């Protein structure tokens, strides 16, 4: 088998692995009619398949995200209830709020929800998740839009809705779903006395095959093609483009293996 055929075979195997991973996640998203996301706190929830939404790092960029429309401004702090504004009524934001409204016409603050009022909604992973606040008779929906290419953006979605009082949109890389690996500590402790655990074996195998792949590939490219520098890295173009492929794949999976939907659902 020539070097070109070998490289094509390696690329084909990599493509097959990526396809199988995406296919398995897609089948999971369509297997359950009702997707339950267990709320950990006001800015994090975990799905049964290990996929989680975590807005914790969102507050590292800014203490409050704000968006305005007309004479009304919205202030959003996802992970905790933070006092905000001045005392203007019984339900203002001075006692702590996660979503706060300020009306410049009346100079009044209104608490739209706390972390205790928050819940995460998924529609079979076909649409982006919604962070929903139900505070009294007020419902505030924040569409969590996964966006890697731009900085975090917080905006108001204009339009009327009978079920939702206020509609907002958060576009951020922190709104993107990630896979969370959970470890059963009891099982891990029980297996520690019987030699290497399954995870240790998998890590060793990964390191061995990764070393063979990169070192062996570099040597082969050097001897067969006379490659030098970064050209000695096997499938260099693939590894450079891998972050974009991962981003596109996760966005595709969380949308239920469909193209990115519109915002009418809010």
């Amino acid at each position: 088998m020539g070097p070109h055929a070998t490289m094509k075979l390696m690329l084909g195997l990599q493509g097959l692995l990526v396809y199988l991973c995406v296919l398995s996640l897609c089948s999971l998203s369509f297997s359950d009619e009702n997707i339950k996301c267990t709320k950990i706190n006001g800015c994090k929830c975990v799905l049964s398949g290990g996929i989680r939404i975590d807005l914790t790092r969102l507050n590292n960029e800014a203490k409050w995200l704000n968006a305005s429309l007309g004479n009304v401004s919205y202030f959003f702090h996802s992970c905790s209830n933070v006092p905000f504004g001045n005392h203007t009524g019984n339900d203002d934001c001075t006692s702590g709020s996660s979503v706060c409204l300020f009306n410049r016409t009346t100079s009044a603050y209104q608490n739209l929800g706390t972390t205790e009022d928050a819940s995460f909604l998924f529609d079979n992973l076909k649409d982006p998740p919604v962070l929903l606040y139900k505070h009294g008779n007020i419902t505030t929906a924040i569409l969590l839009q996964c966006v890697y290419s731009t900085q975090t953006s917080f905006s108001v979605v204009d339009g009327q809705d009978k079920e939702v009082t206020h509609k907002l949109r958060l576009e951020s890389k922190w709104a993107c779903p990630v896979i969370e690996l959970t470890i059963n500590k009891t099982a891990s402790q029980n297996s520690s006395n019987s030699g290497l655990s399954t995870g240790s074996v998998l890590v060793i195998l990964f390191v061995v095959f990764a070393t063979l792949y990169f070192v062996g590939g570099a040597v082969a490219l050097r001897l067969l093609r006379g490659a030098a520098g970064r050209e000695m890295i096997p499938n260099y173009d693939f590894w450079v483009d891998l972050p974009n492929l991962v981003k596109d794949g996760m966005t595709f999976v969380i949308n239920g293996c469909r193209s990115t939907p519109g915002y009418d659902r809010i």
Side-chain angles (χ1 to χ4, degrees):
M1 182 180 294
H4 292 287
T6 302
M7 298 301 294
K8 289 182 178 180
L9 178 60
M10 294 172 66
L11 286 174
L13 291 175
Q14 291 174 349
L16 179 60
L17 289 175
V18 173
Y19 171 78
L20 290 176
C21 290
V22 173
L23 183 61
S24 62
L25 289 175
C26 288
S27 62
L28 175 63
S29 66
F30 284 112
S31 61
D32 296 327
E33 289 297 328
N34 297 316
I35 302 298
K36 180 181 180 181
C37 190
T38 303
K39 178 182 173 182
I40 305 301
N41 51 43
C43 58
K44 180 179 179 181
C45 76
V46 180
L47 294 169
S48 58
I51 299 176
R52 63 182 171 90
I53 297 292
D54 190 354
L55 304 177
T56 304
R57 296 188 180 182
L58 185 64
N59 297 130
N60 295 336
E61 298 184 3
K63 184 175 181 180
W64 288 94
L65 297 176
N66 64 83
S68 299
L69 181 64
N71 293 326
V72 176
S73 296
Y74 298 87
F75 298 88
F76 175 53
H77 187 282
S78 61
C79 295
S80 59
N81 301 323
V82 180
F84 186 80
N86 302 318
H87 181 67
T88 58
N90 295 329
D91 197 23
D92 57 25
C93 306
T94 55
S95 60
S97 173
S98 183
V99 184
C100 183
L101 179 149
F102 175 66
N103 191 319
R104 286 190 291 274
T105 302
T106 60
S107 298
Y109 292 89
Q110 183 179 12
N111 189 353
L112 299 183
T114 63
T115 55
E116 292 77 18
D117 301 323
S119 60
F120 292 83
L121 300 183
F122 287 82
D123 287 344
N124 297 326
L125 299 182
K126 296 177 183 178
D127 299 309
V130 171
L131 180 56
L132 193 68
Y133 291 85
K134 291 187 177 181
H135 186 74
N137 60 350
I138 300 175
T139 302
T140 303
I142 302 178
L143 175 67
L144 304 179
Q145 189 71 48
C146 173
V147 177
Y148 275 100
S149 58
T150 60
Q151 294 182 348
T152 296
S153 172
F154 187 58
S155 59
V156 182
V157 179
D158 196 8
Q160 297 181 351
D161 193 306
K162 296 181 179 179
E163 297 181 357
V164 177
T165 313
H166 305 280
K167 297 183 294 184
L168 305 167
R169 178 188 298 114
L170 173 66
E171 297 182 349
S172 174
K173 61 182 178 181
W174 307 121
C176 297
V178 295
I179 297 178
E180 183 176 68
L181 299 178
T182 57
I183 300 176
N184 189 319
K185 295 182 178 180
T186 303
S188 177
Q189 293 173 354
N190 293 337
S191 62
S192 61
N193 298 326
S194 58
L196 292 176
S197 64
T198 303
S200 300
V201 174
L202 292 176
V203 170
I204 293 174
L205 290 176
F206 172 78
V207 172
V208 171
F209 282 110
T211 302
L212 290 176
Y213 172 77
F214 286 103
V215 176
V219 172
L221 291 174
R222 177 67 176 177
L223 297 177
L224 298 176
R225 296 185 179 180
R230 67 182 185 183
E231 295 178 352
M232 295 176 61
I233 301 176
N235 301 324
Y236 174 78
D237 293 334
F238 171 81
W239 295 113
V240 169
D241 198 41
L242 183 60
N244 293 327
L245 295 175
V246 172
K247 178 200 73 172
D248 294 340
M250 291 301 298
T251 303
F252 183 66
V253 170
I254 200 64
N255 289 335
C257 301
R258 295 184 178 182
S259 58
T260 302
Y263 304 133
D264 295 337
R265 183 173 60 92
I266 295 186

